[in-house]
Amino acid sequence: MRNRLSRILATASVAALCLGGVPSLAQDSAATPQAAANSADPPLTAPDSPARRQQVMPDSFADLVEQVSPAVVNINTTSVIEQPTSPMFPEGSPFSDLFRDFGFPMPNQGPGGDPRFNNRRQPQRASALGSGFVISEDGYIVTNNHVIDGADEIEIEFRDGARRKAEVVGTDKQTDIALLKVNATDLPYVSFGDSDAARVGDWVLALGNPLGQGFSASTGIVSARGRALTGTYDDFIQTDASINRGNSGGPLFNMDGQVVGVNTAILSPNGGSIGIGFSMASNVVTTVVDQLREFGETRRGWLGVKIQRVTPEIAESLGLDTESGAMVTDVPDGPAADAGVQAGDVITKFDGKDIADDRDLVARVAQAPIGEKVSVTVLRNGKTEQLDVTLGRREIAEGTASDSESDAAPGAEETLGMSVQVLTPEIAAELGMGEGQQGLVIREVDPASDAAGKGLSPGDVITEAGQQPVTSVEDLSARIAEAREAGRKSLLLLIRRGGEPRFVALSIEP
C-alpha cells in the first residue's frame, strides 16, 4: 500500500451507534515570544542546557519533560453531525417500485415519504481529542485548526486535571493553526524558539495526546527542514519522533525547552506513525499567532504577481550565474503592476534580502507589512532595476477577509442565499480560469438555500444571469429585478466550475 499524507486525526466517538453506524472521526497558536517575555513569570525553558549546545544524547529526557509538560494540554471538542446513510433500495430498482406502488414510504424517508428526510438519521453528537500548548500565563493556547474546526464546544484539560472551556480567538487554514483562550491567570507556559536554528540531526521532544491515551512523550531528531506539503506557506520540520492521531496541535521542543514546531501531519500507509512526521516551523507560527491575537485573523502582504521557479534552463537562457530568484510570469492589476513590475522580470531581492526561490518570495511577502513600501530588485534584460512597491492585503485580494474587511472589496453582497464577490484576476488564477474571465465568484452558500439544493458551492463562478453577462453584483441584482417584474419564479444562471460551464435555474421568489 503506497504511503499517503494526511492531517493527524484525533480519536473520536459518536453516541447512540445502535443502528450500526460507524464512529465519525473529527480531523485530527497565542501569546507571542515577545508577550511571554513581558510576563511576570518566565516560560518553562532551560536556556543554558549543555545538552542543547553539544547535542549529545542525554542520559534521560525526564528533566526536560518535567519542565515543559505542565504547559501541554489535551483538547476535547464536541460537535453535532448529520448521520447520512445509503438507501436500502436504489432508486429505480424493482423493490423501490414495489414500495411506491403500494403507497409505502421508501426506507429512510420521513412520514408520507417526504424526500426532505431522504438518507438521513437524527443528528448525533461527536467528540474528538487533540493536543495543544499554553504560551502565556493568561491562557492563550496554540493548536491545529483541524483539531477544533467545526466544534460546538472546546474544553481544555490540563496536566493537573483541571478543565476549562475555551473560545476561539482566530484560525488560519493556510498554516492549519488555531489560537484559543481560556479564562485563567498564572498558568505555566512555554515560549517559541527559532526554528531556523534547528539543524538536521538535532534532538527534539514531542508531547501530546496520541490516540486519546492521555499525556505522552516521544523523542527523535530533526530529519529534514523546509518541507512543503500542500500549502502555500508550508515550512515543515520533518521528524522521526513518534507522532500519531491525537498528537495534532502538540508542541515539538528543542533541548532548551522551546517550541520549534507544531505537530500537524504524518506520512503513513495506515494512519499510524512510521517515523515520518511534520511540524509547522515555529517562525511561521509566531507570525500567524501575532496576527490572530491582534486582529482575530491573518493579514498577509500581497505583491500581485504570478511567479515560477528559475530552472537551470531558464537561468542559462537569461545568462544568469545562479538559479536563485523568482521569475514573474504575469502581472495582473495590483501593487506590482502599479510599481512597474513586468512579466519576464526575475525578482532577486525583496526588502533588501536575496530571494532563494519562488517559495521564499511568497513567504517573505506574506510576512511583510501591509500598506508600506518595500524595495523589490528585479533583473530585466540583463540589467538590475529597483522598484518600490506598496503591498496590498492578500486576504482582500482573494476575498477571504472578515466581513468588515470584505465589505470594502468591490461588490461583496448577499443574494439568493449566496455571498458573492467580483471575480478578480488573482481569484481567477487560483480557480484555474483563463485570463480575462469575468463574473461573480461564490464565497459562501446558505445550506438551507435553493442554491445549495442545486449543488452550488464556494468557488463556483456566475458568468451569466438571464442569458446576459454579469460582471458586478449590481448586474446580478438587475437581472433578478427584471425577472421578478416579468413574473418569473426563477432565474437562469450560467455557472463555471473548474472552467466547465453549466446552467442552473435558481428560485427568486421572496
Side-chain angles (χ1 to χ4, degrees):
M1 182 183 298
R2 65 184 179 87
N3 286 355
R4 62 182 177 86
L5 174 70
S6 62
R7 300 294 181 188
I8 310 169
L9 298 179
T11 58
S13 62
V14 180
L17 297 177
C18 58
L19 297 180
V22 296
S24 172
L25 294 179
Q27 277 197 317
D28 197 61
S29 274
T32 65
Q34 292 78 10
N38 293 330
S39 300
D41 298 322
L44 306 174
T45 60
D48 250 349
S49 169
R52 171 63 179 164
R53 292 196 302 270
Q54 299 173 15
Q55 281 297 304
V56 295
M57 184 174 183
D59 294 333
S60 172
F61 289 88
D63 289 342
L64 179 58
V65 172
E66 187 175 348
Q67 270 187 320
V68 299
S69 61
V72 181
V73 299
N74 294 342
I75 297 180
N76 308 308
T77 67
T78 58
S79 58
V80 176
I81 61 173
E82 297 289 341
Q83 291 292 300
T85 181
S86 301
M88 185 179 297
F89 305 126
E91 183 65 28
S93 71
F95 294 102
S96 67
D97 293 339
L98 180 66
F99 268 71
R100 186 178 296 104
D101 291 344
F102 281 89
F104 295 115
M106 281 286 290
N108 305 321
Q109 287 185 346
D114 193 331
R116 292 177 299 172
F117 299 97
N118 282 356
N119 306 324
R120 291 195 179 278
R121 297 205 307 267
Q122 289 297 316
Q124 299 185 31
R125 182 163 288 275
S127 61
L129 303 176
S131 305
F133 54 99
V134 183
I135 58 173
S136 72
E137 62 181 358
D138 57 345
Y140 283 96
I141 296 170
V142 175
T143 187
N144 281 145
N145 175 62
H146 73 260
V147 169
I148 54 89
D149 190 29
D152 298 318
E153 296 180 1
I154 304 172
E155 184 180 65
I156 307 300
E157 181 182 356
F158 294 83
R159 285 299 309 281
D160 60 5
R163 292 174 177 263
R164 294 182 173 91
K165 297 293 184 182
E167 299 294 332
V168 177
V169 176
T171 63
D172 178 37
K173 293 183 179 179
Q174 296 275 9
T175 57
D176 199 7
I177 294 298
L179 180 61
L180 311 179
K181 180 71 168 65
V182 297
N183 291 323
T185 57
D186 299 326
L187 290 178
Y189 65 96
V190 290
S191 66
F192 287 105
D194 182 5
S195 57
D196 288 344
R199 300 171 298 165
V200 174
D202 279 354
W203 286 103
V204 285
L205 168 72
L207 300 182
N209 180 23
L211 303 173
Q213 297 302 303
F215 177 81
S216 179
S218 61
T219 61
I221 63 170
V222 174
S223 304
R225 285 189 44 198
R227 293 297 199 205
L229 303 181
T230 58
T232 303
Y233 305 105
D234 284 358
D235 183 10
F236 284 103
I237 293 174
Q238 181 183 325
T239 179
D240 65 348
S242 182
I243 297 174
N244 285 285
R245 299 182 179 188
N247 273 111
S248 273
L252 186 73
F253 290 102
N254 62 21
M255 296 301 290
D256 289 341
Q258 297 172 326
V259 179
V260 292
V262 178
N263 301 324
T264 302
I266 57 176
L267 187 65
S268 171
N270 55 19
S273 174
I274 61 171
I276 304 178
F278 300 94
S279 300
M280 183 61 73
S282 61
N283 287 359
V284 173
V285 176
T286 52
T287 300
V288 171
V289 168
D290 283 345
Q291 295 179 352
L292 294 181
R293 189 176 187 187
E294 183 174 359
F295 307 113
E297 60 185 350
T298 57
R299 297 192 174 185
R300 295 186 170 97
W302 177 57
L303 186 59
V305 293
K306 298 178 185 177
I307 56 176
Q308 70 177 66
R309 185 180 296 268
V310 177
T311 64
E313 294 79 11
I314 291 176
E316 192 279 331
S317 68
L318 295 175
L320 303 178
D321 295 330
T322 65
E323 301 158 22
S324 61
M327 187 168 188
V328 178
T329 60
D330 189 25
V331 189
D333 291 339
D338 294 340
V341 178
Q342 300 177 9
D345 288 348
V346 176
I347 299 177
T348 58
K349 290 186 178 182
F350 180 82
D351 199 18
K353 297 179 180 179
D354 292 337
I355 296 300
D357 53 29
D358 52 338
R359 283 185 57 211
D360 185 28
L361 177 61
V362 170
R364 291 182 184 277
V365 171
Q367 296 182 26
I370 300 166
E372 295 186 14
K373 284 187 177 181
V374 294
S375 63
V376 176
T377 302
V378 302
L379 185 64
R380 180 184 301 167
N381 299 324
K383 297 180 180 180
T384 298
E385 295 190 26
Q386 184 170 311
L387 307 171
D388 290 329
V389 182
T390 302
L391 297 180
R393 183 182 171 195
R394 185 179 181 115
E395 289 83 0
I396 293 179
E398 294 179 342
T400 59
S402 64
D403 290 341
S404 59
E405 292 282 342
S406 298
D407 288 342
E413 189 174 306
E414 300 284 337
T415 183
L416 299 181
M418 305 176 291
S419 175
V420 297
Q421 177 193 343
V422 174
L423 182 68
T424 65
E426 293 73 32
I427 298 176
E430 294 255 344
L431 297 175
M433 309 191 76
E435 294 183 14
Q437 179 68 64
Q438 294 183 314
L440 300 175
V441 63
I442 298 175
R443 293 173 48 204
E444 294 180 8
V445 179
D446 182 350
S449 67
D450 186 44
K454 297 293 176 59
L456 299 189
S457 62
D460 289 347
V461 176
I462 304 171
T463 58
E464 291 185 8
Q467 297 184 307
Q468 297 182 52
V470 291
T471 60
S472 66
V473 178
E474 289 74 17
D475 288 345
L476 179 58
S477 299
R479 301 293 89 76
I480 294 172
E482 291 170 2
R484 286 173 174 165
E485 289 175 3
R488 300 191 184 95
K489 297 181 179 180
S490 60
L491 178 66
L492 187 66
L493 303 180
L494 178 58
I495 306 295
R496 290 186 179 273
R497 176 180 297 174
E500 296 299 321
R502 72 184 182 105
F503 284 101
V504 175
L506 289 190
S507 171
I508 56 174
E509 291 185 306

